[in-house]
Amino acid sequence: HAKRWQQELQPDGYRLDALTHVPAGFIRSLAGALGSGVELLGEIYDGRAHVLSERWKETGLKSAFDFPSHFALLNSICDEQPMQALASVLALDRLYQRPEDLLIFVDNHDLPRVLSRCGNDQLRAHLALSVLFALRGTPVITYGTESGLAGKGEPENRADMVFDAKHPTFAHLQSLVAQRATYPLLASGRTEVLHVDADHLQLLRYDTDGALLVAINKGLNGQSIEPKRLPLGLSFQTPDQRVQVAGQSVAVVELAVNNRQTFSEWLSARQT
C-alpha cells in the first residue's frame, strides 16, 4: 500500500503511527522497500527515554517524536513542577545516537493544545514554545497553534483550522523561527546542563566550532545571571560577563571561544 501511494503521489514521507505496537522488523522492511529518499517519522509514544532510545534503534528510523522531552517540558513550564523535570530528561541525551534527529513538540492531534495545557495562559504557552525552539531536534508545530487554537481533548483539539496572522502567537513563532535560523547550533548542537533550580535552567548548546548559552526563566521576575560553570575556553562576549533574562522568557547568548586549545580539550573529554 505504501509503495502504491509512492507511485501515485510521490509524497516526501510518511508518519508511522503507534510504533510501540508494530514489529521492528516490519518497519525496517518498509523503509527498505520505500528507499532512502523517503522521510519516515516514527511515533514511539512513551515518556521514558530509555524506551524511546531502544525502540528507535530497533526500527532503524532516522527520526522519532520525542515524547520524554514533550512531557517534561510541559510539566516544567505549564505545571508547577520544577525545571529539574526538563533538565533530567535532557541529561539523558547520551542514550541516543543522534538526539538532534528527534522531533520535538508541545502538542499534537492526540494531546491537549498547548494553550489549553497551559491553562489558557498565553504567556506560559509562548514560553513553552520558546523553550521548544531552544532545544535540539526539529520543532513540530500543530496546525492552528499560530492562531491561538485551544482544546483540551477530542474533538476540540482537532477543531477546524483558523487563519489569523494577527494573533500574537503568529508573530512569536516568526521570531522563534528567525532566531533558529540565526543560531543553527540550536538545532544541531549537543546539550549540557550548566545549572538548574526550581524556576531556572541554563543549557550549553555546543559543537566543535562554538557554543551558545540558553537561559530559561519561568519565574515572573527578571534575572541577571553570571554562569559559574562555563567550560574552560569559553566566555561571554560582553565585558561584564552577565546576561539579563526577563521573566517568563528564554535568552540565547553566543559565547566566545577565548582559548581554542582548552575548549578542544573539554570537548575531547566529553567524547570519551
Side-chain angles (χ1 to χ4, degrees):
H1 283 294
K3 292 180 73 173
R4 174 66 183 274
W5 283 117
Q6 200 67 21
Q7 295 167 1
E8 296 291 331
L9 299 177
Q10 294 85 48
D12 293 320
Y14 299 85
R15 176 190 179 278
L16 305 182
D17 194 51
L19 293 192
T20 54
H21 309 292
V22 181
F26 174 79
I27 300 304
R28 291 195 298 270
S29 176
L30 174 65
L34 292 174
S36 60
V38 179
E39 191 78 22
L40 299 179
L41 313 179
E43 184 205 43
I44 302 171
Y45 199 141
D46 198 294
R48 296 167 294 178
H50 73 279
V51 174
L52 171 59
S53 172
E54 293 170 5
R55 189 64 173 160
W56 188 16
K57 192 179 302 181
E58 289 173 355
T59 60
L61 295 177
K62 177 185 176 183
S63 303
F65 289 91
D66 187 358
F67 279 89
S69 75
H70 162 79
F71 291 121
L73 191 161
L74 295 181
N75 289 343
S76 291
I77 301 300
C78 298
D79 295 342
E80 297 305 318
Q81 290 192 24
M83 292 301 295
Q84 282 90 339
L86 178 57
S88 62
V89 168
L90 294 175
L92 294 175
D93 273 3
R94 64 183 183 276
L95 298 177
Y96 309 120
Q97 291 183 337
R98 286 181 54 86
E100 61 270 27
D101 288 338
L102 287 166
L103 304 168
I104 53 177
F105 61 101
V106 291
D107 57 18
N108 66 23
H109 60 285
D110 290 323
L111 297 164
R113 292 273 184 169
V114 64
L115 184 58
S116 297
R117 183 66 176 76
C118 288
N120 292 315
D121 184 334
Q122 186 171 277
L123 291 178
R124 281 292 179 100
H126 282 191
L127 177 57
L129 289 168
S130 296
V131 174
L132 183 78
F133 273 74
L135 301 182
R136 78 290 182 268
T138 301
V140 179
I141 303 300
T142 307
Y143 75 92
T145 294
E146 72 277 17
S147 300
L149 284 186
K152 287 188 175 181
E154 298 182 21
E156 291 81 11
N157 63 335
R158 304 190 190 200
D160 292 345
M161 177 63 183
V162 173
F163 296 92
D164 183 5
K166 296 182 179 179
H167 194 279
T169 305
F170 191 98
H172 184 62
L173 279 170
Q174 282 186 317
S175 69
L176 294 176
V177 169
Q179 176 180 260
R180 192 93 167 175
T182 301
Y183 301 114
L185 266 178
L186 291 176
S188 60
R190 298 179 66 180
T191 302
E192 175 142 337
V193 176
L194 295 179
H195 168 79
V196 62
D197 58 41
D199 287 341
H200 310 101
L201 175 60
Q202 295 173 26
L203 303 174
L204 185 72
R205 306 298 320 283
Y206 66 94
D207 64 10
T208 56
D209 296 320
L212 301 170
L213 174 71
V214 173
I216 302 168
N217 177 13
K218 77 169 183 176
L220 297 177
N221 299 319
Q223 183 192 31
S224 176
I225 64 172
E226 181 183 5
K228 303 186 186 326
R229 291 189 56 213
L230 282 183
L232 295 176
L234 294 178
S235 66
F236 280 178
Q237 296 186 348
T238 54
D240 62 359
Q241 298 293 292
R242 302 184 73 87
V243 62
Q244 303 296 323
V245 188
Q248 292 188 304
S249 72
V250 177
V252 178
V253 180
E254 190 169 14
L255 298 172
V257 181
N258 55 29
N259 189 316
R260 176 62 60 180
Q261 180 178 348
T262 304
F263 181 54
S264 296
E265 291 172 354
W266 181 86
L267 287 171
S268 297
R270 288 297 180 279
Q271 294 169 357
T272 56

